[in-house]
């Protein structure tokens, strides 16, 4: 197989991993907000930051593989 | 990674660094410093106004509490005064009653005394009067009786008979 | 309710304007004739993502089959092997494939894929190898006033104009009027929601200026990238790298004793772990943090542009199978909703960049209690705890 194909498989794996991670973050944040609606703002901020970190990681991996 | 490095333009990096430095310096000097200074000044103004309002409110509350306290005290004072007056009144009444009673008792006693002495006097007079009358009657009777010899003897006889019965 | 309705109307109007204008720009654009095939669309998108040396608004082919370009030529400034060389970008005649060779001061320059190459002495044409790389030329340091530089200058001047006017307004009155009313809450938002909670009450004043500049710079440039002017400044790796390195320098310079101790000699762990942790922390502080900052912004904006332009290109690529009306309406609906998301992303990326910068600076200036007593007490504040995780 051509190396390009491996790159695409790697990219797919990265996206799957990032998707699972983002799902976890979002889901847990929702749970947290449902449990403590008054802390929604703080949870949201923390969620966005963690999601951004994950996103940075995923993009970094994608671009390293490109 | 290769594409990334290929896309990276060192010239643009240098130019944008210089421009950004200039922009940050200019923005900080001409925009952010005055804006942030006046914002915080305004916030402090609002805060101090709020504090002043809070203080005024507290003072007002204090004043009101004072008023309340004064009112309460006045009410208590009135209450005690009324109570004292009432007590005084009842005491006066009681005193008056007692005095009246003693007075009355005294008067009654005097009256009784007077009555008794009057009675005694009347009795004495009556007695003396009765005695006089009795003596007068007796004298008349005796005179009458003793005018007759038989009757005198009879009397003596009955008298003696009574005496022997004793 | 009325206000909501009105603002919704305004939003819809603005988005319609954006997207229709983008479509028209795309429609008329393109460097190699009418855009129709998938290959050409891809080339066009790749070309758009790169910086360009002229400010081209639109191009069209006139009746005689000649390609006309409408736009402004920008100056090219190069640091070549023999010093500074300047000329106008119009001398390339909108060529981007190494066809046109400009001779200046005895040096030959050509432009291939938005990069300017200096040809070797004696060469008259560019020779390409199998991967379409030039073999007889070398890249020169290019300080040209490119489209991105124009974008930075324009937005910088705009920001200076807006905010210095806002600053002047405060001298006369307490509450700003007009456009200042829009800007003031944004400034307050950055100060109270980003700088203050992340850096801490004690130090935030020093860094607020930088954070505000970066926030508005990124946000406005992101939004400018969605207009048909076709800026892609925040999608240029060089620009995001520059921003990330500013943040790196700021938090490295302002880091206090605690910060360096936590990096080089982490307290509270066994002695043999300390060097390993120091390596990890150093890599984290000097490579991972700035790298994630620069790649995140670059990748988000580039991805947004690629997807948006691909959706707009549906109009041409699916014209055969769906008909003109079908392809146009499909492309319009899809790009409309993507544009809405991109408006959000434009703000979110500016927010995240500023937020993470503030967080990194906050970690560098935070004052820890040395004996780690806070392990025992329950930290009630999310802001306090967050620093321990990241």
């Amino acid at each position: 197989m051509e190396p390009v194909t491996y790159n695409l498989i790697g990219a797919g794996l990265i996206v799957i991993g990032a998707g699972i991670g983002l799902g976890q973050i979002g889901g847990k944040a929702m749970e947290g907000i449902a449990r403590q609606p008054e802390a929604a703002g703080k949870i949201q901020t923390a969620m966005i930051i963690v999601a951004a970190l994950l996103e940075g990681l995923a993009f970094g991996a994608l671009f390293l593989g490109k | 990674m290769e594409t990334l490095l290929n896309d990276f333009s060192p010239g643009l990096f240098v130019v944008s660094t210089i421009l950004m430095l200039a922009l940050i310096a200019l923005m900080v000097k001409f925009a952010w410093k005055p804006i942030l200074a006046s914002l915080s000044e305004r916030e402090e103004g609002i805060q101090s106004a709020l504090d002043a309002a809070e203080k005024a409110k507290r003072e007002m509350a204090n004043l009101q509490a004072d008023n309340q306290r004064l009112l309460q005290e006045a009410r208590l004072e009135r209450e005690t005064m009324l109570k004292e007056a009432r007590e005084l009144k009842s005491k006066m009444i009681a005193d008056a009653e007692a005095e009246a009673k003693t007075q009355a008792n005294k008067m009654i006693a005097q009256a009784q005394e007077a009555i008794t002495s009057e009675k005694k006097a009347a009795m004495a007079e009556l007695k003396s009067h009765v005695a006089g009358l009795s003596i007068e009657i007796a004298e008349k009777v005796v005179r009458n009786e003793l005018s007759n010899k038989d009757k005198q003897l009879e009397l003596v006889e009955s008298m003696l008979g009574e005496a022997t019965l004793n | 309710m009325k206000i909501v309705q009105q603002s919704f109307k305004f939003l819809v109007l603005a988005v319609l304007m954006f997207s229709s204008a983008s479509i028209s720009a795309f429609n008329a654009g393109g460097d190699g004739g009418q855009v129709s095939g998938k290959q050409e669309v891809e080339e066009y998108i790749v070309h758009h993502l790169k910086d360009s040396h002229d400010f081209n608004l639109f191009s069209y082919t006139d009746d005689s089959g000649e390609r006309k370009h409408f736009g402004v030529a920008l100056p090219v400034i190069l640091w070549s092997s023999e010093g500074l060389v300047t000329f106008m970008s119009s001398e390339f005649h909108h060529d981007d494939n190494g066809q046109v060779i400009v001779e200046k001061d005895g040096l030959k320059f050509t432009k291939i894929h938005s990069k300017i190459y200096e040809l070797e002495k004696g060469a008259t044409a560019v020779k390409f190898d199998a991967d379409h790389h030039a073999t007889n030329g070398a890249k020169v340091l290019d300080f040209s006033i490119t489209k991105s530089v124009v974008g930075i200058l324009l937005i910088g001047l705009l920001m200076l104009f807006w905010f210095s006017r806002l600053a002047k307004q405060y001298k006369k009155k307490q509450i700003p009027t007009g456009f200042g009313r829009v800007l003031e809450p944004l400034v307050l938002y950055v100060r109270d929601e980003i700088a203050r909670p992340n850096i801490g009450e004690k130090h935030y004043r020093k860094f607020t200026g930088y954070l505000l500049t970066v926030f508005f710079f990124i946000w406005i440039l992101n939004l400018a990238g969605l207009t048909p002017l076709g800026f892609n400044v925040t999608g240029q790796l060089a620009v995001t790298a520059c921003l990330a390195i500013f943040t790196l320098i700021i938090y490295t310079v302002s880091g206090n004793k605690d910060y360096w101790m936590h990096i080089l000699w982490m307290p509270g762990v066994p002695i043999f772990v300390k060097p390993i942790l120091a390596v990890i922390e150093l890599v984290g502080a000097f490579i991972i943090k700035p790298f994630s900052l620069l790649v995140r912004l670059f990748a988000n904006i580039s991805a947004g542009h690629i997807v948006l332009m691909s959706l707009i290109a549906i109009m041409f690529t699916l014209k055969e199978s769906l008909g003109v009306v079908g392809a146009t309406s499909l492309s319009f609906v899809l790009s409309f909703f993507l544009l809405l998301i991109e408006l959000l992303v434009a703000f979110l990326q500016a927010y995240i960049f500023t937020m993470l910068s503030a967080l990194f600076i906050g970690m560098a200036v935070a004052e820890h209690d040395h004996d780690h007593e806070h392990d025992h007490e329950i930290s009630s504040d999310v802001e306090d705890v967050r620093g321990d995780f990241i």
Side-chain angles (χ1 to χ4, degrees):
Chain A
M1 267 199 277
E2 291 175 52
V4 178
T5 326
Y6 291 126
N7 278 357
L8 288 179
I9 292 171
L13 287 175
I14 293 163
V15 171
I16 290 171
I20 293 171
L22 273 175
Q24 288 269 332
I25 295 166
K28 297 284 176 194
M30 291 275 174
E31 270 176 33
I33 291 173
R35 204 166 292 164
Q36 270 179 301
E38 67 276 2
K42 285 180 171 181
I43 293 174
Q44 226 160 29
T45 320
M47 182 190 81
I48 287 176
I49 287 173
V50 178
L53 288 173
L54 171 69
E55 193 191 48
L57 195 75
F59 274 131
L62 276 178
F63 276 96
L64 281 177
K66 194 177 163 189
Chain B
M1 198 68 200
E2 200 188 317
T3 341
L4 267 188
L5 287 179
N6 195 36
D7 279 346
F8 184 82
S9 150
L12 180 60
F13 176 74
V14 173
V15 175
S16 62
T17 307
I18 294 166
L19 287 179
M20 270 307 283
L21 275 178
L23 182 65
I24 291 170
L26 287 173
M27 287 300 277
V28 166
K29 187 163 189 314
F30 290 110
W32 305 133
K33 271 218 174 109
I35 288 176
L36 291 174
S38 26
L39 278 179
S40 51
E41 196 181 302
R42 194 177 73 188
E43 269 158 20
E44 273 159 25
I46 291 171
Q47 194 56 48
S48 61
L50 280 178
D51 287 348
E54 186 68 26
K55 211 175 138 197
K57 211 168 113 189
R58 251 203 315 273
E59 269 171 17
M60 196 73 171
N62 277 349
L63 219 64
Q64 221 147 17
D66 268 3
N67 278 351
Q68 203 68 29
R69 199 167 46 78
L70 279 178
L71 211 66
Q72 192 69 27
E73 272 173 16
R75 201 175 289 141
L76 270 176
E77 208 167 333
R78 198 190 65 182
E79 210 92 308
T80 45
M81 272 164 83
L82 275 177
K83 206 169 143 200
E84 273 170 18
R86 219 177 283 130
E87 272 169 12
L88 197 66
K89 188 185 86 181
S90 49
K91 196 174 158 239
M92 269 166 83
I93 290 171
D95 282 358
E97 264 174 9
E99 202 173 337
K101 205 176 257 175
T102 44
Q103 203 76 22
N105 282 349
K106 217 164 146 189
M107 274 163 81
I108 288 170
Q110 271 175 356
Q112 266 170 348
E113 226 165 90
I115 289 169
T116 344
S117 61
E118 284 299 306
K119 206 171 129 187
K120 269 184 190 161
M123 282 295 239
E125 205 179 331
L126 201 63
K127 264 182 193 164
S128 61
H129 203 69
V130 167
L133 271 178
S134 313
I135 291 170
E136 224 174 287
I137 292 168
E139 201 183 85
K140 279 180 181 158
V141 168
V142 167
R143 206 177 281 154
N144 199 20
E145 288 283 320
L146 290 182
S147 54
N148 196 332
K149 204 81 171 173
D150 297 335
K151 276 204 185 168
Q152 278 179 6
L153 282 173
E154 202 177 318
L155 182 65
V156 171
E157 260 326 296
S158 69
M159 287 261 210
L160 283 174
E162 270 169 35
T164 45
L165 271 174
N166 283 336
Chain C
M1 199 59 212
K2 204 177 168 195
I3 295 169
V4 172
Q5 258 177 1
Q6 270 181 352
S7 52
F8 184 70
K9 260 189 213 159
F10 174 75
L11 191 71
V12 169
L13 211 73
V15 170
L16 279 178
M17 240 166 66
F18 270 144
S19 45
S20 61
S22 304
I23 288 165
S24 71
F26 192 86
N27 198 357
D31 275 42
Q34 198 69 33
V35 182
S36 53
K38 274 184 187 159
Q39 190 71 30
E40 281 163 316
V41 168
E42 207 177 302
E43 263 173 32
Y44 183 86
I45 292 173
V46 168
H47 176 76
H48 162 80
L49 289 178
K50 284 183 178 154
D51 209 358
S52 94
H53 283 82
D54 43 21
F55 200 141
N56 208 5
L57 284 174
F58 60 90
S59 322
Y60 61 98
T61 314
D62 67 4
D63 297 337
S64 58
E66 202 185 336
R67 194 86 186 125
K68 297 271 187 194
H69 297 276
F70 187 83
V72 186
L74 299 168
V76 176
I77 304 162
L78 302 172
W79 186 257
S80 68
S81 54
E82 291 184 11
L84 213 59
V85 180
T86 56
F87 53 91
M88 291 304 283
S89 68
S90 52
E91 293 189 34
F92 282 121
H93 298 292
H94 300 280
D95 164 64
D96 202 30
N97 285 313
Q99 304 294 322
V100 177
I101 291 165
V102 176
E103 280 204 48
K104 208 88 195 177
D105 304 339
L107 296 168
K108 290 182 179 132
F109 300 101
T110 192
K111 189 155 69 101
I112 307 165
H113 295 315
S114 300
K115 293 267 181 290
I116 295 181
Y117 289 78
E118 184 186 344
L119 293 187
E120 286 164 10
K121 300 266 175 197
T124 50
V126 191
K127 293 195 189 86
F128 293 107
D129 62 6
D131 294 332
H132 204 74
H133 291 309
T135 51
N136 58 348
K139 273 188 210 167
V140 284
L141 260 181
D142 182 1
F143 300 119
S144 310
I145 310 298
T146 56
K147 198 172 174 180
S148 298
V149 177
V150 171
I152 294 173
L153 281 171
L154 277 180
I155 300 302
L157 286 177
L158 197 67
M159 276 167 69
L160 262 181
F161 172 67
W162 280 347
F163 287 104
S164 57
R165 224 174 48 155
L166 178 65
K168 268 199 210 98
Q169 282 193 347
Y170 281 117
K171 279 184 191 149
K172 279 176 267 158
K173 48 205 163 198
Q174 287 274 297
I175 294 166
T177 46
F179 194 58
R181 274 197 196 168
V182 181
L183 297 177
E184 193 201 272
L186 293 169
V187 175
L188 283 176
Y189 177 78
V190 174
R191 193 194 66 177
D192 293 341
E193 302 295 322
I194 298 180
R196 209 199 292 247
N198 286 309
I199 300 180
E201 198 60 46
K202 210 167 157 190
H203 301 283
Y204 81 98
R205 272 165 223 281
K206 248 190 300 179
F207 307 103
T208 316
Y210 169 71
L211 294 174
L212 279 164
T213 316
V214 167
F215 177 79
F216 285 106
F217 183 75
I218 296 176
W219 189 24
I220 300 173
L221 276 172
N222 283 350
L223 287 176
L226 296 175
T227 62
L229 292 176
F231 285 121
N232 186 24
V233 184
T234 37
Q236 296 299 328
L237 209 50
V239 176
T240 59
C242 151
L243 292 171
I245 283 171
F246 275 142
T247 300
L248 168 70
I249 290 172
I250 287 178
Y251 71 68
T252 308
V253 168
S254 56
N256 57 16
K257 216 179 83 194
D258 278 347
Y259 171 70
W260 289 109
M261 203 175 80
H262 275 255
I263 283 186
L264 299 172
W265 207 245
M266 180 71 84
V269 294
I271 205 112
F272 62 90
V273 187
K274 285 185 180 193
I276 306 168
L277 269 179
V279 172
I280 294 172
E281 289 277 338
L282 277 174
V283 170
F286 288 101
I287 297 170
I288 294 176
K289 277 179 189 172
F291 190 75
S292 74
L293 274 180
L294 81 93
V295 166
R296 175 179 309 111
L297 183 56
F298 161 74
N300 266 291
I301 301 306
S302 301
H305 279 239
I306 291 171
V307 178
L308 189 56
M309 294 186 89
S310 307
L311 288 179
I312 293 172
I314 284 179
M315 205 179 285
F316 313 105
T317 50
L318 293 184
K319 198 157 69 182
E320 302 288 306
S321 49
L322 291 177
V324 175
V325 179
T328 309
S329 38
L330 178 67
S331 147
F332 191 82
V333 169
L334 289 179
S335 49
F336 174 80
F337 285 109
L338 193 81
L339 202 67
L340 284 179
I341 296 173
E342 283 303 309
L343 284 176
L344 176 70
V345 168
F347 174 79
L348 201 66
Q349 289 309 316
Y351 170 75
I352 285 175
F353 193 99
T354 322
M355 169 71 110
L356 287 178
S357 295
L359 202 67
F360 295 156
I361 295 170
M363 283 160 71
V365 297
E367 274 146 22
H368 299 269
D369 24 350
H370 276 281
D371 38 40
H372 278 252
E373 263 177 44
H374 66 273
D375 287 351
H376 306 296
E377 66 196 39
I378 301 153
S379 310
S380 56
D381 209 343
V382 173
E383 263 79 23
D384 294 339
V385 184
R386 194 189 291 146
D388 298 337
F389 287 109
I390 298 168

